[in-house]
Amino acid sequence: APMTPDTDMSKAPSKGRFRAPDHILAIEPYEPGKPMAELEREYGISDAVKLASNENPLGPSPAAVEAIRTSIAGLHRYPDGAAHELSRKLARRHGLAPEQVVVGNGSDEVIGLLAQTLLGPGDEVIIPTPSFLMYEISVRSVGATPVFVPLQELRIDLDQLARQVSERTRLVFLCNPNNPTGTANSVAAVRAFIDQLPERVVVVVDEAYIEFVSDPACFNSLRDGRDKPQLVCLRTFSKVYGLAGLRVGYGVMASELAQLIHRIRPPFNVNSVAQAAAVAALGDEDFLQRSVKLVHEGLVQLTRGLDRLGLRHHPTQTNFFLVDLDRPADEVFEALLRHGVIVRSMLSYGFKRSIRINVGLPEENTRFLEALAAVLT
């Protein structure tokens, strides 16, 4: 029936008319940062600098942009439902079989598919906290129970995670390096952690920021975990490859698990433009190296500037880091917005006096430092 004012979804009560299971009602919706254009309108600013979402300040790979232009002519066709070309290229790059690769609409979708495939009511999943918020949402969405383990000095406490394993544990999530803290666990520590788990427990290592890592001791699933069949590696094209707007990610796992996931994966989950862009970006090694170099140089620029301001900041293996303040984070976030600089308040992650910033272009980093100095004066 046509929607009338009486059936307007925006006026529907949260309970009663539309009933949902308790495990759905328990989910706090994910709140991404506001789009730049909306913030500019809301605050009456222009030419804003966005350092809030860990994006690539260089933009997308030029090779990917050209592939996008070419692929547009085929938009009347359905995409390759199995992402054959992208899966093959990823397999060749990492020395894998294509059957081990599951391509998703961002790695977020792969997280959700793992939850749908492996979990049900009564199952438990161990999640460090704070970490990427989509782990909890995906777990709760299938009626499973998240078991949270607090970080210790901003690091994932693998010993404490191991102590939380029970007969009901089915999954463990490790974000390495971790978002939002930028810390990473070592090869020795992660391998020792996996070795003490029952074989039925799947360990999902989210490596969205692995390309930015400078510490060779950091665990890298596709280098250091190939002999661990219960290990799932998640990667994304959103960060170093600059394709966040197209939503392409992938998981690498045992082919047996991949085949189970394909039973429920939507048949055309990654659009044709995104697939073409990702294939081209994989071959653009120059862009990859320029992006990593920019981030490492930008981290030096930003940390030196913060040192001059006398602010504590935390070491990172990513393209972002935390800055501690002497006042509420939301207060500084709002004040920076009025200077046209967008950062991320960490209040929702439990850090009441910290902000998270990602590396921008050199001139954007300078603008942030100048705005922060003005705000804190």
Side-chain angles (χ1 to χ4, degrees), residues 353-374:
R353 292 175 176 263
S354 298
I355 56 174
R356 189 189 68 194
I357 59 170
N358 66 256
V359 173
L361 298 172
E363 57 271 24
E364 294 174 329
N365 299 335
T366 297
R367 185 167 164 189
F368 159 73
L369 291 169
E370 291 174 348
L372 185 62

Side-chain angles (χ1 to χ4, degrees), residues 104-325:
N105 187 241
S107 55
D108 298 20
E109 185 186 34
V110 183
I111 294 169
L113 290 170
L114 285 164
Q116 292 175 56
T117 301
L118 297 175
L119 303 175
D123 292 330
E124 293 182 350
V125 178
I126 299 175
I127 304 175
T129 185
S131 193
F132 185 40
L133 299 175
M134 285 306 299
Y135 307 146
E136 177 187 355
I137 291 173
S138 296
V139 168
R140 291 193 185 278
S141 72
V142 296
T145 302
V147 177
F148 298 108
V149 177
L151 304 185
Q152 293 295 323
E153 297 181 351
L154 301 185
R155 292 185 175 277
I156 294 175
D157 186 342
L158 295 174
D159 291 336
Q160 184 61 27
L161 261 63
R163 285 192 285 271
Q164 294 300 317
V165 174
S166 72
E167 288 298 317
R168 293 185 175 185
T169 304
R170 295 296 307 279
L171 285 178
V172 177
F173 281 104
L174 295 179
C175 190
N176 195 57
N178 188 42
N179 178 19
T181 58
T183 54
N185 288 94
S186 70
V187 176
V190 176
R191 287 185 61 84
F193 169 72
I194 296 174
D195 286 344
Q196 59 186 304
L197 300 179
E199 290 186 359
R200 61 179 167 76
V201 176
V202 174
V203 179
V204 182
V205 183
D206 186 346
E207 297 180 340
Y209 301 94
I210 197 70
E211 292 88 355
F212 300 115
V213 168
S214 57
D215 183 359
C218 172
F219 181 82
N220 180 319
S221 294
L222 300 184
R223 182 192 65 196
D224 307 312
R226 290 177 180 271
D227 59 332
K228 305 296 182 184
Q230 72 270 51
L231 181 66
V232 174
C233 170
L234 299 179
R235 299 268 176 110
T236 182
F237 284 88
S238 294
K239 306 304 180 185
V240 76
Y241 289 106
L243 300 181
L246 287 178
R247 313 305 303 124
V248 194
Y250 61 99
V252 175
M253 63 200 74
S255 57
E256 179 184 357
L257 176 55
Q259 290 308 308
L260 291 173
I261 287 178
H262 287 313
R263 291 173 180 244
I264 63 167
R265 178 183 58 79
F268 305 113
N269 60 323
V270 181
N271 70 74
S272 54
V273 175
Q275 290 186 42
V279 167
L282 267 181
D284 193 349
E285 190 65 27
D286 175 68
F287 179 79
L288 175 69
Q289 296 304 321
R290 285 195 296 120
S291 297
V292 173
K293 183 174 182 287
L294 177 79
V295 164
H296 289 168
E297 292 175 348
L299 288 172
V300 172
Q301 178 190 3
L302 285 166
T303 55
R304 285 177 177 171
L306 291 168
D307 286 343
R308 287 193 293 270
L309 293 175
L311 293 175
R312 184 187 180 199
H313 49 84
H314 297 278
T316 183
Q317 292 296 317
T318 66
N319 65 337
F320 64 84
F321 60 99
L322 296 180
V323 181
D324 294 339
L325 306 166

